[in-house]
Amino acid sequence: MMMKDHKMPHDGVMMKDGKMMVMKDGKTMKMDEDMTMSNGTKVMKDGKVMMKDGKSMMMKDGQMMHMDGTMMK
């Protein structure tokens, strides 16, 4: 039996070619405003991430974060 999870849309934000992209409902568009994820993590349109605990990081090309604020591995 084959699983078809790869066709499920993954909502989140992703750094692609140096630009932040938003993936929602199977559509990908350029991120045009900062976003706050459901766990309080803030993602800026330049790729900077501010965790709720005050830690910050810069997203690297290919990294994705889900809307709940968890990084995809």
Side-chain angles (χ1 to χ4, degrees):
M1 186 175 358
M2 283 183 48
M3 300 294 285
K4 295 189 177 181
D5 287 343
H6 64 278
K7 289 191 176 187
M8 296 275 297
H10 294 288
D11 290 352
V13 295
M14 179 180 185
M15 177 68 80
K16 184 174 180 179
D17 300 324
K19 295 183 179 82
M20 287 301 293
M21 307 299 285
V22 179
M23 285 140 334
K24 195 161 178 105
D25 301 325
K27 295 179 181 157
T28 303
M29 62 208 100
K30 187 174 178 234
M31 186 174 172
D32 56 4
E33 59 185 31
D34 298 344
M35 294 177 68
T36 302
M37 304 311 197
S38 61
N39 70 350
T41 299
K42 290 188 174 119
V43 182
M44 316 308 169
K45 55 187 179 184
D46 66 356
K48 186 175 181 180
V49 177
M50 288 289 297
M51 288 11 166
K52 198 173 181 182
D53 64 6
K55 292 181 186 172
S56 67
M57 62 167 276
M58 201 68 188
M59 287 186 71
K60 296 179 179 70
D61 210 54
Q63 281 187 313
M64 181 182 169
M65 180 178 282
H66 296 283
M67 291 297 189
D68 64 3
T70 57
M71 291 297 287
M72 187 173 186
K73 295 195 164 108

